[in-house]
Amino acid sequence: MSMTENIAQAALGAAMKANRAIAPYDYCDAESRRMYTPQFDKKMDNPIYTAAMAGLQSIYWFRAIKVKGLIPDAKADYYATYSTNHNRIGGIGLAYSNSPTGPWTKHGQVYLDTVVGNSTETPFVIWNDEEQLFFMYYQQNGLGINQSTALATSVDMINWTRVGLILDKPPGFPGDGHTGYFSCFRNGGKWIGFSVMGGGDFGRKCIWHSHDGRSWLADPRPLMGGNDATLSAEENISRPNAGVFMYKGSMWWLGMLSAYASGGVTTVARPAIAKISADFRQLLDKPTDIYFPALNWETTNMQSLMVSVMDGVVYVYYNTDHNIGVAYSVGV
C-alpha cells in the first residue's frame, strides 16, 4: 500500500471513529467534548413532589416508569414509586401522573414488608415482559445476613406479592452483607444490576447478573468505584443511585457523586455523567458534572438520584431535603 493510500486509510478510520463519537469524546478539549456528551434540561418550577405531598416526614428513591399499555384502567400513564428515608418502619408509596414531569398525585402506601425485619425502602420497579409482571426490588433491614435486597411482584403496582430475599452476600465475598440500594436494567435479554456490598462510609459495590430477574449471581471481581473513578480521595460514585443508557453508539453512566457518608446523613452531592465500559464494570473517564440551574428550593443535600428511560428520553429524578425535582435529556 502506498503512502497516499496509507494516509487515506488512516483518515477514513479517523472519520469512522468520529462518526461513532469515539474520537471527538476521547481526544478533543474539554469544551468541545461537551458537544459529544448528552445534555439535559431541568424542569424550572416548584418541586414535582414532596414528602409533605406524600404525607411523610421523609421521601427517598423517587422514580417513575411508564405503565400505559401495561395496566388496564391505570390511574394515569405513569406511576412513580418512592419510600421513606432511613425510617425504622419504612414503606413504599405510589404517585401517578399523565406526564413524566408531573404534576404527580398521591395514591399512598402500597407495600410494607412485615414478614422479616423492618425499614422497607428504596424501591426499584421494572417490567418483566416474560412474566407479564412488575418486579419491585427493595431493601429490608434485618433480612438475610445484614440488610439485604428482596423482591415483590405485581400486575398493577398497587397490590404486591412478596417473594422474599433475592440478594445476599455470597460466601467469602468481602463486605458486611448489606446488599441494598439495588437497581437493574435489561441489556440484550440479560439482567444486570448494581448494589452496595457492605455498609458504612467505605462500603463496597457489586455488579449482579441474571437470566430471569429472580436468580442473581454476584461477580466476585472488584468493581471500580470510589476515588478510582472520581480521581478524588473525598468523593465516591454511587452505582445504585444511577442509570445507564445508549447515546451515539456508546453506553453512558449517569449518577451521583458524593462525599463518603452513609446512613442518610446530610452531605454534598451532585449529578455527573461518564461513558461506561461494555461490561458495565468501570467508568471510562472521570465523571463530568451536569450543571443544572439551581432552584430556590434546592440544597446541596442531594439524597437520591434515580434514572428512568422512557420513550427515548432519559429522566433524572432527584431529591434534596425531601423535595423531588426532575431533569430530562435533550437529543438522546
Side-chain angles (χ1 to χ4, degrees):
M1 185 179 291
S2 68
M3 180 179 296
T4 301
E5 290 174 326
N6 283 333
I7 294 174
Q9 187 67 33
L12 176 60
M16 292 176 66
K17 283 187 175 182
N19 188 53
R20 297 195 304 269
I22 295 176
Y25 179 83
D26 291 339
Y27 299 109
C28 67
D29 61 86
E31 184 61 29
S32 299
R33 179 180 295 185
R34 186 175 181 274
M35 297 172 56
Y36 300 93
T37 302
Q39 299 298 303
F40 292 82
D41 285 339
K42 177 190 285 188
K43 184 174 173 61
M44 304 296 289
D45 205 342
N46 296 322
I48 62 171
Y49 204 64
T50 67
M53 293 169 64
L56 302 170
Q57 292 185 335
S58 64
I59 191 168
Y60 198 43
W61 229 250
F62 184 100
R63 179 175 176 270
I65 68 170
K66 185 177 181 179
V67 300
K68 183 179 180 180
L70 300 177
I71 301 177
D73 303 318
K75 290 175 173 288
D77 292 347
Y78 301 89
Y79 281 5
T81 48
Y82 53 87
S83 72
T84 54
N85 185 355
H86 291 84
N87 180 277
R88 187 182 66 83
I89 298 174
I92 309 300
L94 180 77
Y96 55 90
S97 173
N98 281 319
S99 168
T101 60
W104 292 89
T105 301
K106 171 189 172 183
H107 171 82
Q109 181 171 292
V110 294
Y111 187 76
L112 179 66
D113 189 341
T114 59
V115 177
V116 178
N118 54 47
S119 193
T120 306
E121 294 187 335
T122 64
F124 188 94
V125 177
I126 184 171
W127 172 251
N128 185 334
D129 193 56
E130 288 78 11
E131 296 194 30
Q132 294 290 292
L133 287 172
F134 292 97
F135 276 25
M136 179 172 69
Y137 302 95
Y138 62 94
Q139 67 178 16
Q140 185 84 349
N141 188 36
L143 178 68
I145 292 176
N146 185 349
Q147 183 171 340
S148 302
T149 290
L151 172 67
T153 64
S154 175
V155 296
D156 59 9
M157 288 186 62
I158 294 176
N159 301 287
W160 292 91
T161 299
R162 181 183 186 274
V163 175
L165 179 66
I166 205 81
L167 302 181
D168 213 0
K169 186 176 86 70
F173 207 103
D176 65 7
H178 185 343
T179 61
Y181 301 101
F182 182 73
S183 64
C184 65
F185 58 95
R186 305 289 299 274
N187 181 58
K190 298 179 180 179
W191 295 66
I192 299 170
F194 295 112
S195 78
V196 297
M197 183 58 84
D201 291 352
F202 295 93
R204 296 172 174 86
K205 300 173 177 66
C206 182
I207 186 170
W208 300 81
H209 298 272
S210 175
H211 66 282
D212 60 4
R214 291 179 179 267
S215 299
W216 291 85
L217 180 65
D219 190 328
R221 295 173 297 168
L223 181 65
M224 183 177 127
N227 60 353
D228 289 334
T230 62
L231 306 184
S232 167
E234 299 176 353
E235 282 192 319
N236 179 34
I237 68 167
S238 176
R239 289 282 178 161
N241 257 306
V244 296
F245 58 92
M246 183 68 71
Y247 176 71
K248 289 189 176 180
S250 297
M251 195 67 72
W252 292 77
W253 169 92
L254 191 158
M256 195 167 73
L257 300 183
S258 66
Y260 284 93
S262 64
V265 302
T266 299
T267 186
V268 176
R270 64 191 193 279
I273 191 169
K275 282 187 177 181
I276 192 168
S277 60
D279 61 1
F280 307 102
R281 297 194 53 79
Q282 62 181 358
L283 302 186
L284 299 180
D285 194 26
K286 180 180 178 181
T288 301
D289 286 1
I290 299 174
Y291 293 105
F292 297 140
L295 303 178
N296 57 14
W297 55 266
E298 295 179 3
T299 73
T300 58
N301 184 30
M302 184 176 289
Q303 296 153 325
S304 70
L305 181 155
M306 303 302 294
V307 176
S308 184
V309 181
M310 296 178 285
D311 295 326
V313 179
V314 182
Y315 293 91
V316 182
Y317 297 95
Y318 61 94
N319 72 290
T320 68
D321 293 320
H322 314 305
N323 299 306
I324 308 296
V326 63
Y328 48 89
S329 62
V330 180
V332 172

